[in-house]
Amino acid sequence: MTDKKRNGGTATKAAPGKNGAGAATTRPATSYGTPLPGPVIEPPKRELLPGGVALIRDDDGNVIGPWPDGASPPKLSRELAKAWSKDQLLAVHRFMRMSREIENKVINLYRQGKISGGVYLGRGNEATAVAALYCLESTDPVTILHRDLGAHLVRGWTAREIFMQYFAKRDAPNFGKDTGLHLGSLERFSLGTVSPLGCMIPVTLGCAVGLKMQGKKAVGLTFTGDGATSLGDFHEALNFAGVWKAPFILIVENNQFAYSTPTGKQFACARISDRAAGYGMPGTTVDGTDVLKILNAVKTAVDRARKGDGPTLIESVTMRMRGHSEHDDASYVPKGMADAWAAWDPINRFEEYLMSERILDQVALDRMLAELSTEIEEAVDWAFAQPPNEGPEAAEGVYA
Amino acid sequence: MARVDIIMPQLGESIAEGTVVKWLKKPGDKVGKDESVLEITTDKVDSEIPSPSAGILVEIVAPEGTTVGIGKPLGILETDATAAAGAAKSAPAPEAAKAPEAAKASPDVKTPVTAGDSVLPGAGAPMAAPAPPPEPAVVAHASGGNGGGNGGSDRFYSPLVKRIAREEGIALSELDRLAGTGQGGRVTKDDLLGYMEQRKAGGVAMPQAQPGGMPMMMPGQMPAGMPMMPMMPQFSPMPQFMPMPGMGAQAGPPATPPAYKIAREPGAAETRIPWDNIRKKIAAHMVMSKSTSPHVTSCAEVDVTTIVSFRETYKDVFQQSQGFKLTYTPFFLHAVTKAIQDFPGVNAIVDGETTVIKHAINLGMAVAMDDGGLIVPVLKHAEDKNFVGLARNADDLGRRAKSKKLVPDDISGGTFTITNPGVFGGLWGTPIINQPQVAIFGMGTINKRVAVINNMIAIRDMIYVTLSYDHRVVDGALSHLFLARVKWYLENFNPMGQIPGVI
Amino acid sequence: MAVKTYIEALADGLREEMVRDKSVYMLGEDIGQYGGAFKVTKGFLDEFGPERIVDTPLAESAIIGVAIGSAMMGMRPVAEMQFADFVACGFNQLINNAAKMHYRWGAAVPMVVRLPSGGGVRGGPFHSQNPEAWFCHTPGLKVVAPSTPNDAKGLIKAAIRDENPVLYFEHKYLYRRIKEEVPDGDFAIEIGKADIKRPGADVSIITYGSMVHLSLEAAKKLAAEGIDVEVVDLRSLLPYDQQAIAGTVRKTNRAVVVHEATRTCGFAAEVMAFIVEELFTHLDAPVKRVTSIDAPVPYSPPLEDFFMPNADKIAAAVREVAAF
């Protein structure tokens, strides 16, 4: 019997119960000297790119990203688009664009000294963020991270609320007490995320479990970066989810770098989704710049979970198009890598598809951009004019 | 037209300044909103700075090559009012600088010293920012073990002792003259309180075990109840009537209670107050009582040190466990009841030519009302009640008397009456019998006095008690025996079992 | 009314809350099938079923994290750390998640973490700690430490009913060694209220947990010497009853603070700071504390006995303060 061929690695398993026929008794050379007794399964081999970044292949073995030598992205698949109506595709597109335009504005505001502290953007991640939330019900509990602004927009947060957050106003969703995209609301089933990434995975799992205890058919979903997959909470939570067969989805946004640490230094397995087997759940790796592929992957996982078939680990591969934060010049990213990835911009790829299928034209796009611009300018002015905090408010709200 | 600053942003948590690399516009140039105006560099990033508003660049404040702190201006724009409206609004993202007054409650503010009261956060606020520290005058002066600000004294006084001294107007020089029973001869709270009692009575300063807890065994001392070792006075006794500085000596005597003020017509020689019904009743009863019973009054002196000590020790626990205040009244009710049981002859009424000894002991307790009137509620069947029961009943009757909630049954059926001239400061009294009873018991004030025990001088809490009696039916012998018995019960008050659950 | 041990009263409290409110559930290691390492939840699995008595994999951080998430969605979890010492593995979830949710975005986290704590059982460094001070320093959390069966029952009910994350330190030494009359029926003890376990007039001992009993033992000894000790049981540490501390210090003017946790930056430091700040002019003697020494909890009996307070050490401190 042979294992399913994956990523170029092969292994032969000794067939039990048969006398010699078909059973392979020669053991392949291993990378660790003396062969171990018992069946040996070689882990899939890993490939590294310049800068120490791990080369990731999707489930069909195709390389994700502009490798080698700036390869262009494939066109989006009409097959995958069939699952969605035109209106749904346009809605997804609008969310993605809105997210991009808001963040462009945030960059300017930050450089004008109107936003204090740090700013962390998600350019390049719009497809994953929007697609993930688009597949959920509004009562499915989620924790959305700082590079998933589009997800917040899908969940119903407005531009005004987003800018109140950035301006740290008294009536912002975080009352001026927490930063940027840490907003949360129980009515929206959206938890305020924390700075130690990965730590909200067990919490979001807990939400799914708690609602299941109340007889609800909710699915919990959260994101994590490639870096936080090294954290204990990632492993503890996935293990719990697998053992309990919980209705839970974890999307790992593998954008190649955790601050300055490339994925090659972050984990030793070939793909993050390879870990899923260790926790007793299916794992899949998709091109995160292809919104249709992400939509498909999340939809499948949501259906699974809602049916009661348990959790899924999804690895979505993208590129972090700006520094870790706006005060990081990202000089550790190899020359040309960011430019090569620019061709895989999820918004450009999607707009190209929509235009080619005549679902969108330039006139409609220009009109939409103008509307978004007006909405954003209004939201900025409105939010900026809101009252700031008074000092003593710092002591309020510590306890429920 | 409005002027708007282009400021140096904070690009990163640890960044404090940036350097201007290149101006992309010059003064006089038009600038669009969000259009890049200059380039800067910091330790972390190089960045272009977009314009906060549309307008004209009128001044470059920081030329190329200069390093500027965050928040400081780089250049100035002139904008038209509408564009400037939103952006011109005050500060960039909230500065911590604006600490409002409330948070600043300065510890330098000298709050007035209040007796014993510190400012504590409310019970409901878990760890809310505490109020400013109380009595900073003391805190500011505390230094080393000597407690600074002693006016030159070398002695250590604890914060408690200093506070009490300050509140009572006792100068540190006076404290210096006290002998202390604490470690190293330090003056303890008890030492100071003891001294204060003496000073009030004009007596000699001597350390002694205070009422207020089990006395601690110190070398050279014996437990409370035992006579004290005689000590030489530390200094001559103060003259009685010289007001002590700061002793609370006011300009004159305390204010007259309203019930005793008399309204005067200007220029009138007299004020006529017609008797109301109550006054008529009282007058009639007083005349009748005196003309019915030949009144004689006996007196006894009682040492109530044990009772005073007991009450001091247990009054808080009593209040906590029983829910009302423990006064001296129940001690006397208790002793009187027992003495009546031993000498029932005083618990009687006269019916014609028959003396009717009553077996129920219904104690009338004279209560002075705030409006100047007098009422005598009756505590029925005192013989059936234990100490706490007597206390509770007395408290209840007194409370209802003052709030005028007594019912007729509460003021009838008395067989013996107790009155308390001591409550107004009277040393002892010769009360008028409450007819048709044959005796009335009076209590004076409790004062600390010098007493002689085993031929040694002691300071004891003493009280005079009197019995006015109807000499038709009660003889002097009976009255003195009765008083002596009351005295015995008071002086031999046994605390064990009196307050269930506590002692 | 019946006589109950500390552990029986605690189990009664848990059981009554589970019956009263279906959103209450328990999770932890070995609590279901096994009935809990100390048998607190013996019989609970049969009574409430595996949906509400959840045996978890060995992962403190996930246990606490899951509790936080489910609490935000409307459940009332009671999570157990098998030994208080292991809460360190889930420290971040408590400090950065549970404690800050309400402050940051108004989400209440009504959960309880039960922590069997304390030494004197020859458990060694990892089974004997009293780590409450770590959490008293975290605004957003509440911390309680009952000393008697009555308090154990009353406080577990109050903790479960509280809208905030409550850390419940149950002292394992007391589980089966302390018993008293516990009234039947529903009663909860207000979190933040101390209790005078022994009224007195000369010196106040301010304490909590297992040390309440040693303090009472010391008080008995001292009564025979003519020193009347008042023993104040704080019961709650965050928030703690400042009014009660003020009342007792005003009354006796001398105080000794006692806890089993180690000395430096232990909870006594906070109590003493408060006394000095707010009650300075009521002090007739310096405030002293009696605590374990600054060391990991040692294993061998003579070492642990030296490490921990006992009635004699407490009495000695009180005598010192009384004689000042």
Side-chain angles (χ1 to χ4, degrees):
Chain A
M1 287 185 268
T2 45
D3 269 19
K4 187 173 100 170
K5 191 181 183 122
R6 289 180 99 217
N7 290 2
T10 27
T12 28
K13 207 172 170 172
K18 283 198 171 175
N19 299 328
T25 48
T26 45
R27 297 177 170 283
T30 67
S31 54
Y32 26 78
T34 315
L36 293 167
V40 172
I41 303 170
E42 271 286 339
K45 288 246 182 301
R46 202 160 78 140
E47 304 162 64
L48 283 184
L49 292 166
V53 168
L55 178 86
I56 309 287
R57 293 173 185 270
D58 65 17
D59 296 345
D60 300 316
N62 301 313
V63 172
I64 301 173
W67 324 114
D69 307 322
S72 295
K75 301 233 176 298
L76 269 53
S77 150
R78 195 186 282 167
E79 270 305 307
L80 289 179
K82 282 198 180 132
W84 309 93
S85 73
K86 265 196 205 141
D87 287 336
Q88 286 179 317
L89 293 176
L90 285 172
V92 167
H93 170 250
R94 194 187 175 96
F95 281 123
M96 288 167 70
R97 260 291 170 193
M98 176 78 154
S99 160
R100 177 71 59 90
E101 298 307 312
I102 289 177
E103 290 202 331
N104 286 343
K105 185 68 187 172
V106 167
I107 295 171
N108 282 340
L109 291 169
Y110 185 57
R111 293 181 179 168
Q112 289 161 1
K114 294 193 172 131
I115 297 177
S116 42
V119 162
Y120 304 81
L121 301 180
R123 181 179 294 182
N125 202 43
E126 292 87 352
T128 307
V130 171
L133 266 277
Y134 200 75
C135 297
L136 294 174
E137 307 286 319
S138 62
T139 51
D140 287 325
V142 292
T143 303
I144 300 168
L145 302 191
H146 52 292
R147 300 203 199 283
D148 305 308
L149 173 57
H152 282 299
L153 299 175
V154 174
R155 195 33 82 96
W157 295 99
T158 64
R160 282 184 169 191
E161 287 168 316
I162 301 296
F163 285 110
M164 285 248 272
Q165 278 290 108
Y166 277 113
F167 295 139
K169 293 293 183 178
R170 184 192 70 197
D171 298 320
N174 277 145
F175 320 119
K177 290 170 179 168
D178 203 355
T179 61
L181 293 192
H182 285 194
L183 48 139
S185 148
L186 287 178
E187 285 85 42
R188 288 185 174 143
F189 287 84
S190 171
L191 310 190
T193 191
V194 297
S195 294
L197 295 183
C199 296
M200 289 301 283
I201 304 175
V203 177
T204 318
L205 170 66
C207 292
V209 165
L211 288 169
K212 185 174 174 192
M213 287 176 175
Q214 295 168 46
K216 306 259 166 53
K217 290 236 171 294
V219 175
L221 181 149
T222 188
F223 305 86
T224 185
D226 39 284
T229 62
S230 302
L231 194 75
D233 278 352
F234 169 87
H235 302 277
E236 294 192 21
L238 285 182
N239 186 48
F240 268 48
V243 167
W244 289 343
K245 220 174 170 191
F248 179 71
I249 299 167
L250 180 63
I251 300 180
V252 178
E253 294 167 318
N254 180 350
N255 61 14
Q256 320 304 326
F257 287 92
Y259 208 146
S260 72
T261 309
T263 43
K265 287 194 177 152
Q266 195 65 251
F267 50 85
C269 46
R271 319 182 312 158
I272 292 170
S273 63
D274 287 347
R275 289 172 162 162
Y279 300 115
M281 66 180 76
T284 178
T285 297
V286 297
D287 175 359
T289 62
D290 180 333
V291 69
L292 296 179
K293 286 190 177 163
I294 271 285
L295 278 168
N296 176 52
V298 179
K299 185 89 178 51
T300 311
V302 171
D303 289 343
R304 249 182 63 84
R306 229 182 279 286
K307 251 193 327 203
D309 285 343
T312 309
L313 176 64
I314 299 175
E315 180 184 8
S316 166
V317 181
T318 63
M319 174 65 190
R320 196 187 68 201
M321 296 306 290
R322 295 190 71 81
H324 169 65
S325 64
E326 285 305 298
H327 58 268
D328 168 36
D329 65 2
S331 52
Y332 42 79
V333 177
K335 276 249 155 317
M337 183 180 272
D339 295 329
W341 269 101
W344 290 63
D345 184 315
I347 292 180
N348 292 344
R349 289 183 71 188
F350 195 29
E351 278 172 1
E352 208 184 284
Y353 173 80
L354 292 172
M355 302 261 204
S356 71
E357 297 290 312
R358 305 212 192 290
I359 300 172
L360 183 71
D361 62 31
Q362 194 59 47
V363 171
L365 178 59
D366 289 340
R367 184 173 56 238
M368 186 184 84
L369 290 175
E371 282 168 11
L372 291 178
S373 174
T374 308
E375 191 182 331
I376 288 170
E377 288 299 319
E378 189 278 334
V380 169
D381 291 340
W382 181 89
F384 198 70
Q386 296 309 303
N389 291 111
E390 302 271 327
E393 288 160 18
E396 290 168 14
V398 178
Y399 290 97
Chain B
M1 295 287 263
R3 289 167 81 88
V4 172
D5 284 342
I6 302 168
I7 60 164
M8 177 66 78
Q10 181 185 17
L11 299 182
E13 283 93 353
S14 57
I15 297 300
E17 61 190 19
T19 305
V20 179
V21 173
K22 182 162 155 204
W23 277 94
L24 304 167
K25 299 275 180 180
K26 51 186 197 307
D29 284 350
K30 255 178 135 167
V31 178
K33 189 172 182 185
D34 289 338
E35 191 182 344
S36 288
V37 188
L38 72 153
E39 286 173 13
I40 62 158
T41 182
T42 71
D43 287 342
K44 290 196 148 198
V45 281
D46 298 343
S47 186
E48 288 179 2
I49 306 293
S51 171
S53 329
I56 300 179
L57 178 66
V58 293
E59 188 183 331
I60 290 182
V61 177
E64 291 171 9
T66 46
T67 298
V68 177
I70 54 168
K72 299 280 186 302
L74 299 164
I76 303 181
L77 290 174
E78 209 151 75
T79 75
D80 44 19
T82 47
K89 265 213 170 80
S90 71
E95 306 162 71
K98 280 232 152 113
E101 297 321 300
K104 275 183 75 183
S106 167
D108 297 329
V109 171
K110 297 237 179 273
T111 49
V113 171
T114 40
D117 263 332
S118 304
V119 183
L120 292 174
M127 307 302 111
E135 303 162 320
V138 175
V139 177
H141 288 137
S143 56
N146 161 323
N150 263 2
S153 167
D154 277 332
R155 258 177 131 185
F156 169 76
Y157 297 107
S158 75
L160 176 66
V161 164
K162 282 166 81 167
R163 175 169 65 79
I164 297 173
R166 189 175 55 240
E167 285 167 6
E168 297 298 320
I170 296 172
L172 277 169
S173 49
E174 213 179 317
L175 274 184
D176 283 349
R177 286 186 240 125
L178 293 187
T181 61
Q183 221 163 65
R186 116 186 145 88
V187 173
T188 66
K189 162 192 167 191
D190 290 347
D191 294 336
L192 179 55
L193 292 182
Y195 166 68
M196 279 157 50
E197 288 292 346
Q198 255 110 96
R199 212 180 59 161
K200 235 196 263 181
V204 187
M206 276 201 266
Q208 55 146 2
Q210 275 293 303
M214 301 297 190
M216 297 181 291
M217 298 287 283
M218 300 303 301
Q221 263 192 354
M222 284 175 269
M226 302 281 286
M228 308 302 298
M229 302 298 286
M231 300 267 287
M232 296 310 295
Q234 303 293 309
F235 55 92
S236 345
M238 291 296 167
Q240 278 275 17
F241 299 103
M242 179 141 358
M244 303 296 294
M247 193 184 176
Q250 299 134 340
T256 306
Y260 299 99
K261 286 192 194 273
I262 302 295
R264 280 175 65 162
E265 290 285 325
E270 61 192 28
T271 301
R272 296 178 71 83
I273 304 171
W275 289 357
D276 60 17
N277 278 331
I278 295 194
R279 184 49 54 190
K280 284 179 185 167
K281 276 207 178 112
I282 292 174
H285 189 92
M286 292 301 165
V287 169
M288 178 272 285
S289 182
K290 273 279 179 165
S291 59
T292 303
S293 308
H295 278 61
V296 181
T297 303
S298 316
C299 177
E301 185 186 50
V302 185
D303 181 340
V304 288
T305 308
T306 312
I307 287 174
V308 170
S309 173
F310 173 88
R311 181 176 166 272
E312 271 306 302
T313 305
Y314 288 101
K315 66 175 193 241
D316 288 339
V317 161
F318 187 93
Q319 167 83 52
Q320 251 187 351
S321 60
Q322 306 301 329
F324 62 94
K325 201 168 146 188
L326 176 63
T327 63
Y328 287 109
T329 305
F331 296 92
F332 288 88
L333 294 175
H334 184 255
V336 161
T337 302
K338 289 180 106 66
I340 288 175
Q341 285 167 326
D342 292 344
F343 293 98
V346 301
N347 193 59
I349 61 161
V350 172
D351 179 16
E353 291 192 334
T354 308
T355 307
V356 183
I357 311 287
K358 293 287 189 182
H359 298 304
I361 304 177
N362 297 338
L363 299 176
M365 302 179 302
V367 174
M369 306 291 278
D370 293 327
D371 61 6
L374 182 74
I375 196 160
V376 187
V378 178
L379 192 157
K380 301 270 171 70
H381 290 288
E383 74 279 8
D384 289 340
K385 297 181 167 50
N386 64 9
F387 180 82
V388 173
L390 289 173
R392 195 187 308 281
N393 269 258
D395 176 78
D396 172 60
L397 284 168
R399 199 191 299 278
R400 285 196 287 124
K402 287 234 150 74
S403 58
K404 303 203 202 263
K405 291 208 173 91
L406 293 172
V407 298
D409 194 48
D410 290 327
I411 52 173
S412 61
T415 60
F416 186 93
T417 299
I418 296 184
T419 179
N420 191 353
V423 83
F424 293 109
L427 200 57
W428 51 276
T430 58
I432 294 182
I433 292 164
N434 193 7
Q435 300 293 339
Q437 296 162 21
V438 304
I440 178 167
F441 177 87
M443 304 146 49
T445 47
I446 298 177
N447 285 326
K448 286 207 186 293
R449 278 202 280 284
V450 173
V452 175
I453 299 178
N454 288 351
N455 287 326
M456 289 191 281
I457 294 175
I459 310 288
R460 308 291 289 179
D461 297 291
M462 305 295 285
I463 187 176
Y464 289 116
V465 297
T466 51
L467 189 79
S468 292
Y469 54 97
D470 182 338
H471 211 307
R472 294 177 299 164
V473 296
V474 176
D475 298 323
L478 173 57
S479 122
H480 286 112
L481 285 169
F482 173 76
L483 279 183
R485 188 55 55 92
V486 172
K487 173 184 163 92
W488 192 94
Y489 281 119
L490 287 171
E491 288 179 348
N492 291 280
F493 176 74
N494 182 3
M496 296 310 294
Q498 301 293 8
I499 308 177
V502 174
I503 181 172
Chain C
M1 201 61 129
V3 172
K4 300 266 176 177
T5 61
Y6 185 100
I7 198 176
E8 284 167 346
L10 169 60
D12 285 348
L14 287 165
R15 197 182 297 112
E16 285 170 27
E17 290 302 291
M18 297 267 305
V19 167
R20 180 187 66 82
D21 181 353
K22 295 285 175 280
S23 67
V24 179
Y25 77 98
M26 300 182 66
L27 69 164
E29 297 153 18
D30 310 299
I31 63 167
Q33 191 64 42
Y34 192 69
F38 301 99
K39 303 299 181 194
V40 173
T41 49
K42 182 160 169 208
F44 278 43
L45 182 64
D46 290 336
E47 190 174 343
F48 300 107
E51 296 287 302
R52 295 183 71 196
I53 307 295
V54 180
D55 273 327
T56 64
L58 202 161
E60 285 73 17
S61 191
I63 290 171
I64 297 172
V66 164
I68 295 169
S70 60
M72 291 197 283
M73 292 292 114
M75 302 301 287
R76 285 190 179 255
V78 180
E80 180 184 298
M81 298 287 101
Q82 195 159 82
F83 283 83
D85 314 59
F86 305 145
V87 73
C89 299
F91 192 71
N92 178 70
Q93 287 289 341
L94 282 171
I95 302 313
N96 279 322
N97 285 353
K100 297 180 182 167
M101 289 297 179
H102 186 265
Y103 186 75
R104 298 187 303 118
W105 55 286
V109 183
M111 63 182 273
V112 177
V113 180
R114 289 180 36 241
L115 300 122
S117 60
V121 296
R122 316 313 188 196
F126 305 105
H127 295 82
S128 316
Q129 287 175 83
N130 291 284
E132 60 272 3
W134 300 342
F135 304 100
C136 292
H137 193 53
T138 305
L141 297 180
K142 292 193 178 179
V143 179
V144 300
S147 70
T148 62
N150 267 292
D151 292 340
K153 184 174 181 185
L155 280 174
I156 192 67
K157 283 170 173 272
I160 288 172
R161 297 174 194 186
D162 201 298
E163 292 303 306
N164 299 280
V166 180
L167 274 70
Y168 182 96
F169 284 90
E170 47 197 68
H171 201 290
K172 63 177 88 69
Y173 184 88
L174 299 179
Y175 275 152
R176 293 175 169 82
R177 287 181 182 81
I178 301 293
K179 53 165 82 112
E180 67 178 357
E181 290 268 341
V182 178
D184 301 320
D186 195 25
F187 68 93
I189 290 175
E190 191 185 328
I191 293 179
K193 279 262 170 306
D195 185 37
I196 300 181
K197 289 295 197 278
R198 182 191 195 280
D202 297 335
V203 179
S204 304
I205 293 182
I206 299 165
T207 183
Y208 58 92
S210 61
M211 293 294 114
V212 170
H213 303 281
L214 290 188
S215 299
L216 289 170
E217 214 183 295
K220 243 200 241 145
K221 272 194 238 243
L222 292 162
E225 298 168 24
I227 301 177
D228 188 28
V229 173
E230 176 152 293
V231 177
V232 178
D233 179 0
L234 286 173
R235 300 199 293 195
S236 292
L237 303 179
L238 181 69
Y240 66 95
D241 195 340
Q242 297 186 328
Q243 301 286 359
I245 294 174
T248 194
V249 171
R250 285 204 190 116
K251 183 174 169 198
T252 67
N253 312 114
R254 292 162 200 259
V256 175
V257 190
V258 182
H259 59 55
E260 192 185 293
T262 59
R263 183 179 179 79
T264 299
C265 292
F267 196 74
E270 167 64 31
V271 175
M272 293 163 85
F274 170 73
I275 292 175
V276 165
E277 249 182 347
E278 302 291 338
L279 301 161
F280 187 72
T281 58
H282 292 274
L283 289 175
D284 205 20
V287 185
K288 289 208 144 331
R289 60 183 156 173
V290 181
T291 68
S292 289
I293 64 174
D294 284 330
V297 186
Y299 166 56
S300 87
L303 291 181
E304 194 182 19
D305 291 343
F306 180 84
F307 165 87
M308 279 179 55
N310 57 41
D312 290 331
K313 293 179 190 174
I314 297 172
V318 172
R319 274 186 214 107
E320 243 185 273
V321 162
F324 184 79

